[in-house]
């Protein structure tokens, strides 16, 4: 009982000392959705979170790695990734290159205390054809990492629990994170007076499942277009806005929630940046042939 109490107190009071990671995005072009190119694909796309080592007695290092490669050189390749720790935004990375196939981003960050790391990435490529025809490819990847930093046990990490001990820890970390997120999302829904029963609610970190699972009442191709245009809006309104927050000011933001209209007309993105509540509404498109 005493050990359980220590575990709960440790999680509830956990602080993350990871530096807030926002890439200098001044020269990064906007992500723009174009009709899907059926002749081009990704050879691979990955997001990986791994604990490297115990940095000091009180801290550890985590490697955040994003990589992707298209099956041929494209006019423009771009990857964007978001990292959340215990549901709180702790990093944004974006990289673009012209006339290339591959993109790789690596970042080390320090953390302390038991934590639940989640990262979702959007991998994008523009394919330019003669007569100014432009098409695109895109996919999403996700990874998670549980780090257990308890005073009574050795430091350890895992992605999927393999025994009762890890299952108890993952359940505790997910529960405390989810309770915090539910409170944040409820505040946003009430603020904008949204009837949540009219929407399918999906956290941003769960969007990757729609790589191969269509949204209700839509085909996979239509879903791909909805998600592609959603990321176009997320990049412009969430990622770049977060970057533009005054330098030196600590950024506070939880995982955004995506609301898909059950009448199949539009979607809403709800998020908060440093106490300011935002709502992004996107009408569903006229779908590509």
């Amino acid at each position: 009982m005493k050990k359980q109490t220590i575990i709960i107190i440790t999680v509830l009071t956990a602080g993350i000392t990871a530096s807030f990671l926002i890439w200098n995005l001044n020269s990064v072009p906007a992500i723009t959705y174009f009709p899907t190119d059926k002749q081009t694909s990704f050879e691979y796309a990955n997001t990986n979170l791994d604990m490297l080592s115990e940095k000091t007695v009180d801290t550890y290092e985590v490697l955040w790695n994003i990589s992707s490669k298209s099956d041929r050189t494209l006019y423009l390749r771009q990857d964007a990734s978001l990292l959340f720790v215990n549901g709180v935004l702790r990093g944004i990375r974006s990289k673009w290159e012209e006339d290339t196939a591959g993109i790789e981003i690596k970042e080390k960050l320090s953390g302390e205390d038991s934590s639940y790391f989640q990262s979702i990435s959007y991998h994008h490529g523009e394919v330019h054809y003669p007569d100014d025809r432009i098409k695109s490819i895109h996919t999403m990847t996700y990874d998670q990492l549980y780090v257990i930093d308890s005073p009574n046990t050795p430091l350890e990490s895992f992605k999927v629990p393999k025994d009762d001990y890890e299952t108890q820890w993952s359940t505790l970390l997910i529960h405390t994170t989810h309770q915090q997120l539910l409170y944040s999302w409820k505040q946003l829904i009430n603020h904008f007076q949204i009837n949540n029963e009219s929407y399918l609610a999906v956290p941003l970190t769960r969007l990757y499942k729609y790589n191969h699972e269509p949204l209700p009442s839509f085909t996979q191709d239509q879903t791909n277009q909805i998600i592609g245009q959603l990321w176009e809006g997320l990049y412009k309104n969430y990622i770049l806005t977060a970057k533009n927050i005054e330098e030196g000011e600590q950024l506070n933001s939880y995982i955004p929630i995506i609301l898909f209209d059950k009448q199949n007309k539009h979607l809403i993105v709800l998020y908060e940046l440093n106490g300011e509540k935002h709502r992004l509404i996107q009408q569903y498109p006229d779908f590509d042939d």
Side-chain angles (χ1 to χ4, degrees):
M1 182 68 184
K2 184 177 179 181
K3 182 175 181 180
Q4 183 180 12
T5 302
I6 292 173
I7 290 173
I8 293 173
I9 292 173
T10 300
V11 173
L12 292 178
T13 60
I16 297 300
T17 59
S19 300
F20 180 69
L21 308 170
I22 294 290
W23 196 300
N24 183 352
L25 301 177
N26 285 325
S27 61
V28 177
I31 288 177
T32 304
Y33 172 83
F34 293 100
T36 301
D37 189 344
K38 302 289 188 179
Q39 309 304 316
T40 308
S41 61
F42 286 101
E43 287 188 359
Y44 63 80
N46 299 295
T47 298
N48 287 302
L49 293 168
D50 293 293
M51 191 176 71
L52 293 177
S53 62
E54 188 170 3
K55 191 174 181 182
T56 67
V57 175
D58 299 318
T59 64
Y60 51 83
E61 273 194 332
V62 170
L63 177 64
W64 178 23
N65 187 11
I66 307 100
S67 61
S68 62
K69 184 179 179 182
S70 53
D71 60 4
R72 60 191 175 100
T73 298
L74 300 184
Y75 176 83
L76 178 67
R77 280 292 339 279
Q78 185 169 2
D79 283 0
S81 186
L82 300 99
L83 175 68
F84 298 90
V85 183
N86 299 333
V88 179
L89 180 64
R90 280 293 178 264
I92 297 176
R93 281 290 179 270
S94 182
K95 184 177 182 180
W96 68 278
E97 291 186 17
E98 294 181 340
D99 298 321
T100 191
I103 294 283
E104 183 170 25
I105 304 168
K106 284 187 178 181
E107 185 72 39
K108 293 179 183 179
L109 57 147
S110 297
E112 65 178 19
D113 297 317
S114 299
S115 299
Y116 180 33
F117 293 79
Q118 295 173 279
S119 180
I120 186 166
S121 304
Y122 183 73
H123 312 272
H124 176 77
E126 283 187 21
V127 189
H128 287 219
Y129 289 101
D131 303 321
D132 295 325
R133 289 186 302 118
I134 303 176
K135 294 189 175 184
S136 64
I137 58 171
H138 62 86
T139 192
M140 296 171 286
T141 58
Y142 169 84
D143 199 18
Q144 63 185 23
L145 184 71
Y146 301 93
V147 177
I148 310 307
D149 187 11
S150 169
N152 301 316
T153 59
L155 180 69
E156 74 167 282
S157 67
F158 57 91
K159 296 177 185 289
V160 178
K162 299 182 291 296
D163 53 37
D164 289 343
Y165 173 75
E166 292 182 354
T167 297
Q168 289 175 1
W169 264 108
S170 64
T171 300
L172 181 60
L173 287 168
I174 289 173
H175 177 74
T176 53
T177 297
H178 194 55
Q179 288 300 109
Q180 183 172 245
L181 290 171
L182 283 177
Y183 178 79
S184 172
W185 296 335
K186 184 177 180 180
Q187 295 289 100
L188 287 164
I189 288 169
N190 290 340
H191 177 79
F192 291 109
Q193 299 180 331
I194 294 171
N195 179 8
N196 61 333
E197 294 183 358
S198 299
Y199 295 88
L200 169 66
V202 180
L204 174 61
T205 46
R206 293 290 296 168
L207 275 182
Y208 70 93
K209 70 178 184 176
Y210 294 110
N211 277 336
H212 305 292
E213 177 185 326
L215 288 162
S217 302
F218 291 102
T219 67
Q220 187 63 58
D221 285 344
Q222 290 171 335
T223 297
N224 293 343
Q225 184 170 351
I226 290 171
I227 297 300
Q229 294 180 329
L230 167 58
W231 274 99
E232 181 178 340
L234 281 169
Y235 188 85
K236 178 181 178 181
N237 294 279
Y238 183 65
I239 293 176
L240 291 183
T241 300
K243 176 262 171 188
N244 287 329
I245 286 181
E246 196 170 311
E247 188 175 347
E249 181 181 354
Q250 184 175 359
L251 179 59
N252 183 24
S253 180
Y254 294 104
I255 296 172
I257 189 74
I258 319 297
L259 303 177
F260 294 96
D261 171 34
K262 291 181 180 179
Q263 298 299 315
N264 303 325
K265 300 295 183 183
H266 66 278
L267 63 82
I268 301 174
V269 184
L270 300 179
Y271 59 94
E272 189 169 339
L273 291 169
N274 285 16
E276 185 175 348
K277 296 176 174 61
H278 297 267
R279 174 181 59 180
L280 170 63
I281 301 176
Q282 291 190 195
Q283 301 297 321
Y284 287 158
D286 295 326
F287 291 104
D288 301 332
D289 296 331

